[in-house]
Each structure stands twice: as structure tokens, then as C-alpha cells.
Amino acid sequence: MNRREAVLRELNLYPLWQRRNQPAQVATDAVASRLGGGEADTQRSAMGIAALNPSYISSSISGSGEIANLDWPQLKDTVRDCAACRLRAGCTQTVFGVGDENADWLFVGEGPGADEDALGEPFVGQAGKLLDNMLMAIKLKRGRNVYIANVVKCRPQDNRNPAPDEIAQCLPYLQRQIELIQPGLIVALGKVASNALLGKDATLASLRGKLHDYHGIPVIVTYHPAYLLRSPAEKAKAWQDLRLAVQTMDDRG
Ligand code: URA
């Protein structure tokens, strides 16, 4: 079994059964048929860009304040030194983000956990291993045309969700990261990241399977890898979301 097959097995998608009378398909198409005969394609054609009114976002995305004018080194320094909310007192260090600063793909999580707090890099624990496998399943790799960031840069203690005021305080940093990266597509991992980016208060189920928009950048919503570790049966749906993301990126050219 090669590495890709091993990853698909990890995602509960292997072996890839194909009907005998069908022509050979690439692995992703076989997976799609297993998931229900091109459901993702149907969803794609049926959806429009969701209308948005993000409450956190001002006209220059990261606001008219000084964060909006920071370059990468200034932004990194500012995040490192930030103590604007209560989260900083409870964490070891800020976790800025990692990867290709000119990436087409941006993956956004919620906030650092214990492993990320210790190492200073997003998604380095068990959820991070699954995220790396999800990336590999769509032929991506951490750091290669991929950037990974979180909504909040400090670990919420006891792995609680960040509070709305903590999100509001930290979001301009992510918004500035997005302005600097100018990704072709954003994949929002979980409800917190999705709602923060889209300025909504919606269920993940209502956000999945649609193409959203963040200041002209398409956004795909999927499950948080930590949730998938707890609910492996949902991995097939996450695979659908990743296929939609790949198709959306392909359509952009
Ligand atoms: N969960 C997140 O949302 N982000 C991380 O960096 C790690 C776990």
C-alpha cells in the first residue's frame, strides 16, 4: 500500500471500490462515487456564493487601525507581544501561523491546544496529524503552497472555545494575515473558525457544502480535525468538503 492509500485508509475511504463496467477513474473520482455519485458536483452547481455581512470585518478587512498597515515582520512582532485579552496570561506563547506566506491554500483553525502552545506552531498534535493527512489526501503538504493559522493566537485554557470578545480582539491579526497572503481559497476548520471568518452564528451543518465568500476569496467550511478524531464516521463528509475545495480551486484556474 502506498502512502496515499494509507492516508485514504486513515480517512475511512480505502479500499476504493469501483463498478466493474466503469472506466478507470482517478482515486478522487472513485471516492466521490463511493460517497454518492457526484454529490459534491450537484452541491456545487446548486449553490451560489453565500451573502455575507461579517460583523467583525471593516472595509479594509483588518480594519483602519494600525494592524491593517503592518508588514509580515511587524505583524509577527505585534502578535508575539500582544496581551490585549485575558488569553495571553494563561498561555506559554502566542502561536502565529505557519507555512508559505504566498500560499494559494489557507487553512484556519480555532486556536492553539496544549501541543501548539508548547511548540509555537499550529496543528502539531493529534488533530494536526489528521490535518496533515487531509492535506496529503488532496495532494497538499504543510508549508508547500499551504498556510495554516488560527482565529486566536493564544491557547484558551482547558481547551475551551475562545469567547466572542477574545475572537473579536484577535481576529484583526488573522484578517491581516489573509490580506498579506492573498490566498486563492480558505478552508475553515470547524464552527468557531467558520463563524469568525464569515461573521455568522450558524451551525456547521448549515455552512457545509456551500461556497462562501470572504472579501472575494472563496471559503469552504469543513469539520475540525479534532472533531473528526472523536467522530471518525464523519470523515467521509470531510472528504466531500475537501473535494469541493479542490474543485473550487481548479475552477479558479
Ligand atoms: N486546534 C486548532 O484549532 N488549532 C490548532 O492549532 C490546534 C488544534
Side-chain angles (χ1 to χ4, degrees):
M1 182 183 304
N2 65 29
R3 181 84 179 103
R4 185 167 156 75
E5 286 168 355
V7 168
L8 290 167
R9 184 184 286 279
E10 162 67 20
L11 291 170
N12 287 353
L13 294 167
Y14 191 85
L16 303 172
W17 304 111
Q18 292 184 38
R19 275 185 225 123
R20 263 190 219 151
N21 60 355
Q22 272 186 337
Q25 299 280 324
V26 294
T28 51
D29 289 344
V31 171
S33 82
R34 186 177 167 198
L35 292 175
E39 199 181 325
D41 296 338
T42 312
Q43 284 171 341
R44 199 171 55 252
S45 58
M47 71 197 156
I49 302 276
L52 285 180
N53 184 18
S55 57
Y56 296 123
I57 301 165
S58 70
S59 56
S60 76
I61 305 186
S62 53
S64 54
E66 59 186 57
I67 293 172
N69 298 314
L70 300 180
D71 61 19
W72 277 115
Q74 292 166 333
L75 184 61
K76 287 174 189 173
D77 287 350
T78 304
V79 169
R80 186 199 57 218
D81 297 339
C82 181
C85 81
R86 67 186 86 82
L87 289 182
R88 184 66 186 90
C91 74
T92 307
Q93 58 186 318
T94 59
V95 178
F96 181 76
V98 69
D100 178 351
E101 292 173 357
N102 297 304
D104 286 322
W105 291 82
L106 172 63
F107 288 77
V108 177
E110 180 179 317
D115 296 315
E116 293 75 23
D117 181 61
L119 293 177
E121 180 172 329
F123 285 100
V124 289
Q126 286 307 311
K129 285 193 186 122
L130 179 53
L131 178 59
D132 286 340
N133 282 343
M134 291 163 73
L135 295 178
M136 183 174 288
I138 53 171
K139 300 182 179 167
L140 294 175
K141 196 168 164 38
R142 179 185 292 248
R144 195 182 299 163
N145 202 21
V146 171
Y147 197 91
I148 304 172
N150 282 311
V151 172
V152 296
K153 311 304 189 199
C154 292
R155 181 193 181 203
Q157 280 188 323
D158 304 320
N159 293 332
R160 65 168 171 80
N161 285 353
D165 64 311
E166 294 159 351
I167 292 174
Q169 192 70 52
C170 213
L171 196 59
Y173 297 138
L174 175 63
Q175 291 166 339
R176 185 62 186 150
Q177 286 174 303
I178 296 171
E179 275 180 331
L180 289 168
I181 297 167
Q182 296 185 5
L185 184 110
I186 301 172
V187 179
L189 302 165
K191 183 178 164 184
V192 169
S194 305
N195 280 321
L197 278 169
L198 301 176
K200 292 181 182 244
D201 182 15
T203 62
L204 195 81
S206 71
L207 296 173
R208 280 191 57 249
K210 302 187 185 96
L211 194 54
H212 301 274
D213 175 87
Y214 175 89
H215 290 263
I217 303 168
V219 177
I220 303 288
V221 167
T222 192
Y223 295 103
H224 193 287
Y227 172 79
L228 293 175
L229 289 174
R230 296 192 300 274
S231 309
E234 306 288 34
K235 285 180 182 176
K237 289 195 209 155
W239 175 247
Q240 274 183 292
D241 300 333
L242 292 177
R243 270 183 44 84
L244 178 57
V246 169
Q247 189 62 57
T248 304
M249 191 65 107
D250 288 351
D251 288 350
R252 282 174 69 91

